[in-house]
Amino acid sequence: MRRPVVQKALWGAAVLVLVTGCSPGDTGRDPRTAPVSSSPSASSSPSASPSPSAAGRVSVTGTLVEGLKSPWGLARLPAGDLLVSSRDERTITRIDGRTGAKTSLGEVPGVVPGGEGGLLGLAVRDGWVYAYLTAASDNRIVRMRYGGGAGDRLGPPEPVLTGIPKGFVHNGGRIAFGPDGMLYAGTGETGRTGLAQDRSSLGGKILRMTPEGGPAPGNPFPGSVVYSYGHRNVQGLAWDPEGRLWAAEFGQNTWDELNLVEPGRDYGWPVVEGKAGRAGFVDPVAQWPTAEASPSGIAYARGAIWMAGLRGERLWRIPVSGAERSGEPEAFLKGAYGRLRTVLAAGGDRLWLVTSETDTRGTPGPGDDRILRLEVR
């Protein structure tokens, strides 16, 4: 667990912010008074640079909603509205995708917030809302009926997968359905580093399961939901158009990581952190000093992985081609909106971005927290 960084400028909700990147010396400026614009800053990884790609751009085209408390998970409903979870208030709220109007769906029973635990990731499929949550004895995934006769009320939670280790820190929490129809989850090792290498534990892993919670067909370890291991704290999952899985992971004191995830592979923690070039371990595709990232949610759009940074207070663009990075990572929105928790693809060149100033580690300003509309390239 890292100490928070003091931040940030105040901002308004309706102004257009055109961003071309941020250099290491920039400080956050108030988007109400001027666009945030400067040269992109590259990753501090010591590895050789790949071939350069076209520079990216981020435009903040508006604020969908503000006044959210400890928002964490974000999922899109089939008709275009959004569901957002509150980690500490244990609630799920429906957000109108056009107007930003909020409708409370109520509190999820059985959630026990504390530290980095609480009501975390969300996913939606076939009339069910799936939630990753911290309970009294473990982290677990549940699902609740939503829609149809249930209207704007959630049905009672049904367990999908239980027994994921919990802790005050490193609870993981991101869940998402992959293009194969299976449910994936990123978990943390709760500060007990040995769990990451223990394939009998669900901590420090990426898990792959059926929608009902059983081991998915084709998993690398028979009878197990474990898909990959040797992770410290996975909070970002996304797929590119070719179906490759990417994951963002917290480092400890040196390197945060973006990994290309392959079944059955060992991603090194706690033996290695960042790029080590050691046999038997998978090196990250990109890495950052921990002060520049603390990565949470990720999404794919316009030929790049977009990664939200908490301590780093910036949105990273990592251009990829196939299974490799095709250019240097670029940083955007540095310090402009504080801590950034979740990024979700909205189709084409559009993203939703969730801030995280009310998570006890930020410096909340008027309107925090919010969901921003972004256009990217």
Side-chain angles (χ1 to χ4, degrees):
M1 183 175 61
R2 304 187 195 105
R3 293 176 295 177
V5 180
V6 177
Q7 57 227 310
K8 69 183 185 319
L10 300 178
W11 50 84
V15 69
L16 172 68
V17 181
L18 178 63
V19 184
T20 58
C22 302
S23 65
D26 287 341
T27 58
R29 286 178 286 174
D30 191 342
R32 295 176 299 179
T33 58
V36 179
S37 179
S38 64
S39 300
S41 64
S43 166
S44 299
S45 168
S47 60
S49 300
S51 300
S53 65
R57 187 175 67 188
V58 172
S59 298
V60 180
T61 60
T63 298
L64 176 65
V65 66
E66 56 185 27
L68 301 173
K69 301 305 178 186
S70 62
W72 210 102
L74 189 69
R76 189 178 183 184
L77 293 168
D81 288 351
L82 302 173
L83 297 181
V84 60
S85 64
S86 169
R87 185 192 71 184
D88 299 335
E89 297 190 341
R90 303 172 287 186
T91 57
I92 295 178
T93 301
R94 178 169 60 83
I95 309 296
D96 188 292
R98 296 172 299 166
T99 68
K102 294 183 282 189
T103 302
S104 175
L105 305 187
E107 185 176 302
V108 177
V111 181
V112 181
E116 295 175 359
L119 184 57
L120 304 176
L122 298 177
V124 173
R125 186 176 179 87
D126 297 334
W128 293 95
V129 174
Y130 290 73
Y132 185 116
L133 60 87
T134 307
S137 60
D138 61 2
N139 284 304
R140 57 181 56 192
I141 299 170
V142 303
R143 65 179 183 176
M144 298 156 283
R145 278 290 184 190
Y146 178 66
D152 273 334
R153 297 178 62 86
L154 294 167
E158 300 179 6
V160 173
L161 182 70
T162 61
I164 302 169
K166 64 171 283 188
F168 190 77
V169 296
H170 305 176
N171 287 287
R174 196 69 61 185
I175 56 174
F177 279 95
D180 57 2
M182 299 295 108
L183 179 63
Y184 292 73
T187 73
E189 35 77 300
T190 71
R192 291 176 285 167
T193 58
L195 297 184
Q197 291 292 325
D198 179 359
R199 295 210 305 259
S200 68
S201 171
L202 300 180
K205 309 294 190 295
I206 293 175
L207 311 177
R208 177 176 178 262
M209 69 203 77
T210 67
E212 296 73 33
N219 274 6
F221 308 112
S224 173
V225 296
V226 172
Y227 190 69
S228 62
Y229 64 104
H231 299 287
R232 186 169 185 260
N233 191 25
V234 176
Q235 290 190 7
L237 300 171
W239 288 263
D240 63 28
E242 287 72 45
R244 285 177 286 262
L245 173 60
W246 302 82
E249 179 173 343
F250 282 80
Q252 184 174 23
N253 298 316
T254 309
W255 297 115
D256 292 324
E257 301 178 359
L258 176 70
N259 286 297
L260 176 64
V261 179
E262 298 176 338
R265 302 297 300 275
D266 183 349
Y267 287 79
W269 182 255
V271 183
V272 297
E273 180 180 2
K275 296 184 179 183
R278 289 181 57 175
F281 302 119
V282 180
D283 279 347
V285 173
Q287 63 183 28
W288 297 262
T290 54
E292 295 181 8
S294 294
S296 189
I298 63 173
Y300 178 91
R302 296 296 297 267
I305 300 295
W306 299 84
M307 186 180 80
L310 290 165
R311 182 181 174 189
E313 297 186 8
R314 64 201 80 179
L315 179 68
W316 284 99
R317 173 185 181 264
I318 306 98
V320 294
S321 177
E324 298 182 352
R325 182 158 56 93
S326 60
E328 285 297 326
E330 301 169 279
F332 299 90
L333 307 180
K334 182 180 176 184
Y337 295 94
R339 295 163 59 82
L340 304 179
R341 171 68 68 181
T342 298
V343 57
L344 180 68
D349 62 354
R350 296 176 297 122
L351 299 174
W352 298 114
L353 181 63
V354 182
T355 67
S356 191
E357 286 292 282
T358 58
D359 66 350
T360 73
R361 296 186 179 182
T363 307
D368 281 329
D369 272 304
R370 62 199 72 214
I371 301 176
L372 304 170
R373 297 185 180 99
L374 272 57
E375 291 183 0
V376 301
R377 77 168 190 191

